[in-house]
């Protein structure tokens, strides 16, 4: 008897129960609802609470010799697996990573050796499959010690491709990954998929920029667009344009990428709106540090920035940026006062 | 795309290496190659210090200072004095 699973926890139903205690079937096709949820999740809805129940699942009709793949219990991650594996026969071992994706959970260690051991044991995997191989996403490797997994569970860890979409080819090639399958590229489409959340997370800065611009306008220091566009646009530059156009800026440093973009933006604003020397100076001092800061924050969303590099940037640029920004704030208030005095 | 390379903390002790190939398998930036059962770093500067190679090397031949590569978390940890952690 096939029933739609109803969870008492807040886990989402993605599976049907066959027999109590036996592996559940993952429904390979994503529903319209799944897709709507994915859009919402990408802009911050239910962040950290978009989860499925950690368990052993089935895709298709796996046999005791079918491959076992391991993944995280973030539903967006599981759904990617579901969609990519439609038509295949696999076991899917979903670990409890507290609803965090494989890469971030591996960094925290929740996608890790001990959790693999726990799930192998509680799912009674050794009774269900004949072989002793687990296929892990390569990006889970920072949390897992393959030789320790072997020692404590008896299962050999095989790191599969970085992208689940390559799994089919990987399996067809007797679990040999091409160099390309092992490589993280961070393409434009990767950057587009993380940009919405950057936008949402920088809402406070948007608000601050808009208020600062409205202040100038209210006090008749500038007409509406000339007051608001440079400031709000700078936040947009830092949160969206620099991330998308990342490789176009020739510097390695994210602060320098952002500062360059900010200077370009300031010059554009000076060219676009009639400004006097005070306003021009304010654009050149206030806008670039804001863009630089936001661009620097984007290091948290990339897949190639080392913590040593980020720390070096903090060492090099904190004071210059703060002083640069402080000059901009002083000029901003000078402009406010001038507008107020009339 | 590449990041600041001069500060990367990755090191390989080729003496210890037994050539199992794990480091080349796990590294997402093709830093290692294993030939004649010895690992070598062919692109050390591409390392993002994720720690996957270190954790999966069975003989501890690799060392790297692992951490959170996220500016926001690091700045916050500077200010609060607490350990950096992404969220
Ligand atoms: S730390 Fe990560 S990026 Fe650096 S060499 Fe090791 S696996 Fe590659
Ligand atoms: S993982 Fe360690 S032992 Fe294996 S090839 Fe790399 S350095 Fe050598």
């Amino acid at each position: 008897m096939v029933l739609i699973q109803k969870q008492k926890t807040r886990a989402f139903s993605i599976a049907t129960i066959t027999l109590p205690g036996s592996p559940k079937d993952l429904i390979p096709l994503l529903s319209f609802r799944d897709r709507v949820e994915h859009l919402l999740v990408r802009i911050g809805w239910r962040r950290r609470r978009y989860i499925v129940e950690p368990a052993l699942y089935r895709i298709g009709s796996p046999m005791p010799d079918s491959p076992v793949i391991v993944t995280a219990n973030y539903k967006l991650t599981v759904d990617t697996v579901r969609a990519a594996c439609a038509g295949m026969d696999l076991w899917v071992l979903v670990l409890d990573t507290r609803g965090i994706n494989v890469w971030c959970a591996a960094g925290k260690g929740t996608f890790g050796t001990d959790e693999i051991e726990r799930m192998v044991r509680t799912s009674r995997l050794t009774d269900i499959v004949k072989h002793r191989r687990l296929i892990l996403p390569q990006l889970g490797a920072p949390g897992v010690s393959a030789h320790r997994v072997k020692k404590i569970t008896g299962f050999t860890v095989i790191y599969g491709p970085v992208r689940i979409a390559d799994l089919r080819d990987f399996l067809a090639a007797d679990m040999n990954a091409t160099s390309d399958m092992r490589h993280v590229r961070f393409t434009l489409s990767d950057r587009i998929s993380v940009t919405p959340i950057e936008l949402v997370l920088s809402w406070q800065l948007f608000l601050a920029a808009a208020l600062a611009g409205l202040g100038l306008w209210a006090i008749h220091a500038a007409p509406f667009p000339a007051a608001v566009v440079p400031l709000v646009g700078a936040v947009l530059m830092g949160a969206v344009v620099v991330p998308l156009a990342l490789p176009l800026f020739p510097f390695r440093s994210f602060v320098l990428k952002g500062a360059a973009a900010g200077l370009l933006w300031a010059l554009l604003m000076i060219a676009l709106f009639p400004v006097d020397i005070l306003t021009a100076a304010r654009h050149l001092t206030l806008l670039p540090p804001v863009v630089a800061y936001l661009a620097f924050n984007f290091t948290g969303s990339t897949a190639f920035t080392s913590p040593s590099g980020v720390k070096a940037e903090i060492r090099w640029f904190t004071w210059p940026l703060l002083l640069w920004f402080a000059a901009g704030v002083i000029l901003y208030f000078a402009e406010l006062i001038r507008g107020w005095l009339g | 795309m590449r990041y600041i390379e001069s500060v990367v903390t990755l090191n390989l002790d080729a003496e210890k290496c037994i050539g199992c190939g794990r480091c080349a398998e796990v590294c997402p930036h093709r830093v290692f190659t294993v030939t004649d059962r010895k690992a070598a770093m062919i692109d050390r500067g591409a390392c993002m210090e994720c720690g996957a190679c270190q954790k999966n090397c069975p003989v501890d031949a690799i060392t790297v200072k692992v951490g959170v590569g996220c500016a926001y978390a690091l700045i916050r940890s500077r200010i609060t004095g607490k350990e950096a952690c992404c969220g």
Side-chain angles (χ1 to χ4, degrees):
Chain A
M1 186 64 215
V2 177
L3 294 162
I4 296 296
Q5 181 190 359
K6 283 259 174 0
Q7 293 281 329
K8 277 196 213 75
T9 61
R10 296 238 204 105
F12 287 73
S13 30
I14 45 162
T16 52
I17 288 185
T18 36
L19 283 167
S22 74
K24 305 172 186 74
D25 288 317
L26 278 185
I27 305 159
L29 288 181
L30 298 191
S31 64
F32 178 69
R33 197 183 143 181
D34 289 328
R35 292 179 198 282
V36 173
E37 284 171 5
H38 293 177
L39 288 177
L40 292 173
V41 164
R42 286 205 190 281
I43 57 168
W45 173 76
R46 292 199 85 124
R47 240 165 115 72
R48 309 269 181 267
R49 290 182 298 124
Y50 194 50
I51 58 174
V52 302
E53 194 197 357
L56 181 67
Y57 293 87
R58 317 193 303 181
I59 285 183
S61 322
M63 306 300 283
D65 56 357
S66 300
V68 179
I69 63 170
V70 181
T71 192
N73 80 326
Y74 182 35
K75 183 163 178 285
L76 199 58
T77 305
V78 176
D79 284 352
T80 315
V81 173
R82 284 165 65 194
C85 298
M88 302 163 83
D89 299 313
L90 296 171
W91 303 99
V92 182
L93 189 64
V94 177
L95 305 185
D96 185 0
T97 61
R98 322 270 149 78
I100 293 176
N101 69 50
V102 170
W103 168 249
C104 295
K108 287 174 194 278
T110 46
F111 188 99
T113 310
D114 295 339
E115 174 61 11
I116 291 174
E117 187 279 327
R118 190 182 75 85
M119 286 308 299
V120 165
R121 181 163 38 83
T122 55
S123 67
R124 304 200 322 269
L125 190 62
T126 41
D127 300 337
I128 292 169
V129 297
K130 283 200 318 239
H131 63 78
R132 292 292 175 264
R133 287 181 309 272
L134 298 173
I135 301 175
L136 267 60
Q138 189 190 326
L139 289 185
V144 178
S145 206
H147 48 280
R148 279 194 50 222
V149 172
K150 171 87 183 173
K151 206 148 101 192
I152 58 184
T153 67
F155 279 81
T156 302
V157 167
I158 297 161
Y159 289 105
V162 166
R163 288 162 291 270
I164 187 76
D166 289 330
L167 184 72
R168 208 177 291 263
D169 292 342
F170 174 79
L171 292 176
D174 277 331
M175 306 208 259
N176 284 309
T178 60
S179 164
D180 199 44
M181 287 182 193
R182 293 241 171 272
H183 188 210
V184 167
R185 286 185 301 255
F186 206 52
T187 57
L188 181 62
S189 80
D190 294 331
R191 298 201 296 281
I192 289 172
S193 72
V194 289
T195 305
I197 195 70
E198 295 289 317
L199 257 177
V200 174
L201 291 181
S202 43
W203 69 270
Q204 287 135 318
L205 272 166
F206 269 108
L207 193 67
L211 287 176
L214 286 174
L216 285 173
W217 170 67
I219 212 134
H220 304 298
F224 186 77
V228 175
V229 171
L231 286 157
V232 174
V235 180
L236 209 62
M237 281 294 280
V240 180
V241 178
V242 178
L244 292 184
L246 211 52
L248 299 185
F249 297 96
F251 308 101
R252 294 285 175 88
S253 148
F254 277 52
V255 169
L256 292 182
K257 284 176 195 281
L263 276 175
L264 286 176
W265 179 249
L267 291 173
L268 186 70
M269 291 302 100
I270 291 169
L272 215 61
F273 298 110
V275 290
D276 59 10
I277 183 96
L278 178 60
T279 309
R282 195 250 303 168
H283 283 343
L284 287 170
T285 46
L286 194 57
L287 305 181
V290 171
V291 183
Y293 170 74
L294 281 162
F296 185 41
N297 253 342
F298 192 62
T299 50
S301 304
T302 66
F304 65 98
T305 51
S306 65
S308 296
V310 173
K311 280 185 195 147
E313 290 211 58
I314 294 179
R315 266 198 319 275
W316 300 333
F317 297 122
T318 301
W319 281 109
L321 276 189
L322 277 178
L323 292 175
W324 196 356
F325 183 66
V329 172
I330 291 169
L331 291 175
Y332 171 82
F333 280 106
E335 227 174 312
L336 266 191
I337 290 167
R338 189 182 63 173
W340 186 50
L341 294 177
Chain B
M1 262 173 293
R2 301 182 70 95
Y3 195 46
I4 302 162
E5 301 186 10
S6 54
V7 291
V8 165
T9 56
L10 179 73
N11 277 305
L12 166 69
D13 182 351
E15 291 273 290
K16 286 190 188 166
C17 171
I18 53 167
C20 71
R22 275 293 186 191
C23 50
E25 181 183 353
V26 296
C27 179
H29 290 293
R30 302 195 271 215
V31 169
F32 295 96
T33 173
V34 182
T35 35
D36 298 331
R37 301 201 67 78
K38 274 289 173 203
M41 295 187 281
I42 44 167
D43 191 4
R44 182 169 179 270
C47 174
M48 63 163 155
E49 301 177 324
C50 69
C53 51
Q54 166 174 265
K55 195 125 186 181
N56 284 279
C57 175
V59 293
D60 298 325
I62 300 168
T63 52
V64 58
K65 233 173 111 187
V66 183
V68 188
C70 160
Y72 181 67
L74 286 171
I75 294 169
R76 201 175 41 189
S77 90
R78 276 278 163 112
I79 295 169
T80 60
K82 291 199 193 103
E83 206 184 317
C85 152
C86 24

